[in-house]
Amino acid sequence: MEKLKQETPDLIQHNIDRIAELFPSAITETKDTDGKLKKAINFTVLKQLLSNDVVDGDECYEFTWVGKKQSIIEGNRPIRKTLRPAKEESKNWDTTENLYIEGDNLEVLKLLQNSYMNSIKMIYIDPPYNTGNDFVYRDDFAVSRVDYEEELGVYDENENRLFKNTDTNGCFHSDWCSMIYPRLQLARNLLTEDGVIFISIDDNEVDNLRKICDEIFGEGNHQATVSYVRKTSGKQDSTNFMKSTEFIMCYSKSKDWDCAPIIASDKVIDRYNKADDSGRLFRETDLRKTGNSDRREDRPLMWYPFYFNPKTNKLLVEKQSNSSLIKEGYIEILPLKPDGSEGRWRWGFQNSLDNLSNLVARIMPKYKSENKYTVYEIDYIDKKGDVRTVKEHTSWDRKEFNSDNAMLEFKNLGFSNQLFPFPKSSALIKHMIYLSNDENSIILDFFSGSATSADAVMQLNAEDKGHRKFIMVQLPEPTDEKSEAYKAGYKNICEIGKERIRRAGNLIEKEQKSKSNKGELFDDKEYATLDTGFRVLKLDTTNMKDVYYSADDYSQQLLLDLESNIKDDRNDLDLLYGVLLDWGVPLSLSHITEIIDGKKVHFVNETDLVACFEEEVNEEIIREIAKRKPLRVVFRDSCFGSSPEKINVSEIFKTLSPDTTIKVI
């Protein structure tokens, strides 16, 4: 039987395997630190295979900083940690599909790779802005632990890694870049192919974040950099200008993402004042470029002629002037500016050729008497059901999105205004979740703070009957002993986040129950499926003992202690979730425990995974499990006294459930 590894995937080896599929001749073998052979890349051969694309020398376009290479390595390095359930801190443990995870998000993201690879539709994060006053994660690659502890001394008893990155630090921007880069690398792996990430940021690191995201997600997948009004009054301590806006950077994983349209206002609909034969509303917009870079010399390839025949109403497009068409009665239309100078079109020639059916020739209002024509694009307004829709803008100035509204809703949940500084508005995050365009998806926030994202998910589900699930990840950063939060009994930020989800969920349940009773929204069945619970999981060391000793260290007592390779303080639930992570099973699945012949057997999503961690498992139990035909089964290695017993188990499953995969811990 194969043993579960109990560590995160080796992403470096995964990348080597992907290169091997494309360039097998570039793969060689080398020995690891234990002398075992492993795959490696012969970079000399790989360069030869890509000789036309490899840039050697110092002069090439790149974005780099001190520590970048180490940050990439750190993101790929496996860890031996686990997530331990905290059932007593959860809400609706048995039925909820939502997760709240406490721990360093770099390590948590690594642990989620197996279970949630290509599974997250939308990620929203509000990372430290690097203002010089906020805290930034300090990862092990930045400085040595000894130097770090001597200089800053801010590790807590659980070795959580935070430091105040002041602007006097010589690596001020480098440390921030090294912090965010590996987390975004790992986050991209989790996104579905049509997934999208939204990142809040201000002008301290917006330029660096854009370059990092261009590198990780691809420049072509940059969807928008939204500017939104965070605080209408602005910051009075700003230099010269009062800063009132912040940014939200949006990247998709691929071209497959379609942003959800928004409902058009009456003002917008009024612009679409024409209708075709089927009743579709449209407007006509001049195809000639106006504003900046509107001259022929700015984009020479966007200067070409259209030809229009007034008698047949036929419109053609040509790459260059065609005198024969003029002889046939066609009028040549060029993108001339009002002053007669040469302008350009908004579309390139091929685009105009491909979309000629959406173009019409119209006499310009200013030159009716001269019959001067231009070309107009027929721009239809979209329709979703009975509602007219338009694309979202990149400038958001909405009262419900600003910080005043965020503080008001925090207060409405019964919290003090001073409890959590600068929370985001749930309306803002709810809008981004809506734009992600999937009502049955997983939403991840790995800088969850006060858990506004969880609140937003629950609100939107209540409004549109969606079935979105959330995963919140937050470092249990201690609150200052002088702070209002500490005085109110919240010893770390996670305690605030969990309480916010409880209160927000209770408020939503109360509101929906009231509407359900009045028949305004949900029927009883729909109301019952509204998920306002969450499972709490906490990052911890591996469930397995460290059994690496030199020969001289072994004693009779030590050998007896090592009969079980599982730590003494771990229970069945700890082991079960460690197995789920290792085997790549979602952590939100339902699970029950049955007693079979006096032994506890755990069933995850009925038969997706069956686990039994008892010390002694007899043949009757094995046969009963096999009869259920589970997809996966895991046992404690020590429950089998000998190799023949393991062989017998395998034979039983071959007979009763041949498709079951069996592993041990």
Side-chain angles (χ1 to χ4, degrees):
M1 294 179 192
E2 185 182 349
K3 274 196 173 186
L4 288 166
K5 293 182 178 179
Q6 301 286 291
E7 70 176 18
T8 57
D10 187 342
L11 296 179
I12 294 176
Q13 192 60 47
H14 175 67
N15 290 334
I16 291 174
D17 291 340
R18 292 168 67 185
I19 291 174
E21 292 177 6
L22 296 173
F23 309 107
S25 60
I27 302 302
T28 184
E29 289 184 340
T30 186
K31 290 184 178 181
D32 61 17
T33 54
D34 296 326
K36 296 180 180 179
L37 289 175
K38 66 175 185 178
K39 283 184 182 178
I41 298 175
N42 185 326
F43 285 99
T44 301
V45 173
L46 187 61
K47 277 189 175 185
Q48 291 171 351
L49 293 170
L50 301 173
S51 58
N52 291 332
D53 299 312
V54 172
V55 180
D56 286 318
D58 296 328
E59 292 187 0
C60 63
Y61 178 79
E62 63 178 335
F63 175 56
T64 191
W65 62 87
V66 175
K68 180 179 181 180
K69 291 180 180 178
Q70 288 302 316
S71 73
I72 296 172
I73 292 172
E74 177 64 20
N76 290 328
R77 182 178 292 123
I79 59 171
R80 298 188 74 243
K81 293 201 173 185
T82 191
L83 296 176
R84 298 182 66 187
K87 198 170 182 178
E88 68 284 353
E89 298 179 34
S90 307
K91 177 183 176 183
N92 302 337
W93 174 276
D94 293 331
T95 58
T96 185
E97 295 183 82
N98 300 318
L99 302 177
Y100 187 96
I101 303 175
E102 297 186 23
D104 185 325
N105 54 19
L106 180 64
E107 294 176 329
V108 172
L109 287 169
K110 290 181 180 183
L111 287 172
L112 296 180
Q113 294 296 302
N114 275 343
S115 297
Y116 292 95
M117 181 82 74
N118 302 320
S119 298
I120 307 294
K121 179 58 188 283
M122 184 265 200
I123 297 174
Y124 169 74
I125 58 171
D126 183 17
Y129 284 1
N130 209 21
T131 61
N133 295 312
D134 50 7
F135 285 87
V136 174
Y137 290 71
R138 168 85 78 175
D139 299 313
D140 288 340
F141 55 80
V143 291
S144 72
R145 175 168 294 199
V146 173
D147 291 343
Y148 177 78
E149 290 176 342
E150 286 181 354
E151 180 182 355
L152 298 173
V154 296
Y155 275 103
D156 65 16
E157 66 275 11
N158 296 318
E159 295 188 347
N160 293 318
R161 303 192 291 265
L162 280 176
F163 79 110
K164 195 168 185 178
N165 192 29
T166 62
D167 52 15
T168 57
N169 173 20
C171 296
F172 180 66
H173 291 292
S174 292
D175 280 344
W176 188 89
C177 291
S178 291
M179 179 277 295
I180 201 70
Y181 194 95
R183 288 166 172 82
L184 291 179
Q185 272 188 308
L186 293 166
R188 184 187 181 279
N189 295 340
L190 300 179
L191 284 174
T192 59
E193 282 305 305
D194 61 346
V196 62
I197 183 171
F198 293 87
I199 308 171
S200 286
I201 200 70
D202 72 359
D203 51 8
N204 285 286
E205 296 292 352
V206 65
D207 293 332
N208 288 333
L209 180 63
R210 173 70 188 268
K211 293 183 178 72
I212 288 172
C213 288
D214 280 349
E215 191 168 305
I216 293 174
F217 296 97
E219 188 174 355
N221 290 323
H222 174 246
Q223 296 291 335
T225 298
V226 175
S227 173
Y228 85 101
V229 177
R230 171 75 188 277
K231 192 171 181 62
T232 53
S233 59
K235 295 181 181 179
Q236 294 292 338
D237 58 351
S238 303
T239 303
N240 291 327
F241 290 88
M242 290 192 297
K243 295 179 181 178
S244 60
T245 57
E246 290 183 1
F247 306 99
I248 298 171
M249 206 163 285
C250 176
Y251 279 79
S252 58
K253 186 174 182 178
S254 70
K255 300 296 184 184
D256 293 340
W257 177 60
D258 289 319
C259 182
I262 62 173
I263 298 173
S265 65
D266 291 340
K267 185 177 180 180
V268 170
I269 294 175
D270 289 344
R271 299 175 194 162
Y272 293 80
N273 52 8
K274 297 183 179 181
D276 62 15
D277 294 339
S278 64
R280 290 182 67 195
L281 297 178
F282 68 91
R283 63 176 178 173
E284 294 179 350
T285 58
D286 200 333
L287 192 65
R288 186 180 64 80
K289 176 72 171 68
T290 58
N292 295 330
S293 303
D294 65 342
R295 301 170 302 169
R296 177 178 181 177
E297 55 263 40
D298 293 323
R299 298 290 295 275
L301 294 180
M302 289 187 174
W303 165 275
Y304 50 86
F306 283 88
Y307 290 91
F308 176 64
N309 191 321
K311 293 181 180 179
T312 62
N313 211 35
K314 190 172 183 179
L315 183 68
L316 304 173
V317 60
E318 298 284 326
K319 276 193 173 182
Q320 54 192 12
S321 295
N322 189 330
S323 57
S324 62
L325 286 173
I326 295 176
K327 293 178 181 178
E328 294 176 20
Y330 281 84
I331 297 172
E332 185 178 63
I333 305 173
L334 292 167
L336 298 175
K337 299 173 71 172
D339 62 3
S341 61
E342 295 178 336
R344 69 173 181 87
W345 303 115
R346 290 188 287 112
W347 293 358
F349 172 78
Q350 190 61 47
N351 197 8
S352 292
L353 184 62
D354 293 341
N355 295 282
L356 195 59
S357 60
N358 288 328
L359 298 175
V360 293
R362 292 280 189 263
I363 296 175
M364 290 186 283
K366 189 176 179 180
Y367 302 100
K368 283 185 178 181
S369 60
E370 303 175 41
N371 281 359
K372 284 190 176 180
Y373 286 84
T374 187
V375 176
Y376 284 84
E377 173 195 359
I378 300 174
D379 178 25
Y380 285 95
I381 189 169
D382 292 323
K383 190 175 182 181
K384 188 176 182 181
D386 295 328
V387 178
R388 304 291 178 180
T389 61
V390 292
K391 291 181 179 179
E392 180 56 291
H393 289 275
T394 57
S395 179
W396 299 350
D397 183 6
R398 304 174 196 176
K399 184 178 179 180
E400 65 270 24
F401 289 177
N402 67 36
S403 58
D404 291 335
N405 183 63
M407 292 306 300
L408 179 61
E409 64 183 10
F410 208 60
K411 186 177 179 180
N412 288 340
L413 290 172
F415 292 112
S416 163
N417 284 348
Q418 304 301 318
L419 192 66
F420 190 89
F422 315 121
K424 285 291 187 291
S425 162
S426 64
L428 173 67
I429 301 178
K430 185 170 64 175
H431 184 63
M432 288 182 276
I433 296 171
Y434 166 77
L435 293 178
S436 71
N437 206 10
D438 194 335
E439 295 178 0
N440 187 20
S441 59
I442 303 174
I443 312 301
L444 169 66
D445 183 345
F446 54 88
F447 286 96
S448 71
S450 66
T452 307
S453 296
D455 191 350
V457 169
M458 294 187 295
Q459 287 185 42
L460 191 55
N461 282 342
E463 291 172 11
D464 65 9
K465 304 180 185 179
H467 293 87
R468 304 169 187 85
K469 284 79 72 176
F470 64 73
I471 301 176
M472 299 292 108
V473 182
Q474 177 59 43
L475 185 76
E477 177 187 342
T479 53
D480 191 304
E481 293 185 6
K482 298 178 182 179
S483 67
E484 289 293 326
Y486 189 88
K487 294 174 183 176
Y490 301 102
K491 299 301 184 288
N492 60 57
I493 290 179
C494 291
E495 292 181 5
I496 299 173
K498 288 179 289 188
E499 182 61 20
R500 196 248 177 88
I501 301 174
R502 292 188 193 98
R503 295 189 187 188
N506 291 341
L507 181 61
I508 292 169
E509 287 175 357
K510 183 178 178 181
E511 292 173 348
Q512 298 312 310
K513 187 174 182 179
S514 174
K515 292 180 179 180
S516 179
N517 290 337
K518 295 176 183 178
E520 295 178 6
L521 187 66
F522 288 104
D523 59 31
D524 291 339
K525 184 178 180 181
E526 290 169 335
Y527 170 71
T529 62
L530 184 61
D531 188 356
T532 61
F534 56 97
R535 289 179 180 173
V536 177
L537 304 169
K538 297 187 178 185
L539 182 71
D540 207 334
T541 56
T542 176
N543 292 320
M544 315 311 288
K545 290 178 180 176
D546 187 353
V547 295
Y548 301 104
Y549 296 91
S550 63
D552 294 338
D553 292 334
Y554 282 100
S555 64
Q556 185 65 33
Q557 183 59 47
L558 182 59
L559 290 172
L560 292 173
D561 291 341
L562 293 180
E563 286 181 0
S564 172
N565 60 341
I566 297 169
K567 291 178 179 176
D568 297 333
D569 65 338
R570 305 303 161 95
N571 58 36
D572 273 23
L573 209 54
D574 294 327
L575 300 180
L576 180 62
Y577 275 79
V579 169
L580 294 179
L581 285 169
D582 205 359
W583 220 326
V585 179
L587 306 178
S588 59
L589 295 180
S590 61
H591 53 81
I592 60 171
T593 302
E594 291 186 22
I595 303 300
I596 301 177
D597 200 17
K599 303 293 184 180
K600 289 189 292 186
V601 181
H602 307 277
F603 293 85
V604 178
N605 202 30
E606 296 184 351
T607 56
D608 275 12
L609 183 144
V610 178
C612 183
F613 304 117
E614 299 282 3
E615 286 291 351
E616 296 179 5
V617 181
N618 59 39
E619 185 173 320
E620 286 72 18
I621 297 173
I622 301 296
R623 288 187 178 278
E624 179 58 32
I625 293 173
K627 288 177 184 176
R628 310 281 185 98
K629 299 188 182 302
L631 185 62
R632 312 172 185 86
V633 172
V634 63
F635 298 100
R636 186 190 287 248
D637 191 29
S638 58
C639 77
F640 304 112
S642 62
S643 295
E645 288 185 15
K646 291 183 180 180
I647 294 172
N648 186 44
V649 171
S650 298
E651 291 302 318
I652 290 172
F653 274 94
K654 282 181 182 178
T655 302
L656 298 178
S657 183
D659 295 328
T660 299
T661 303
I662 311 168
K663 292 188 179 182
V664 295
I665 60 170

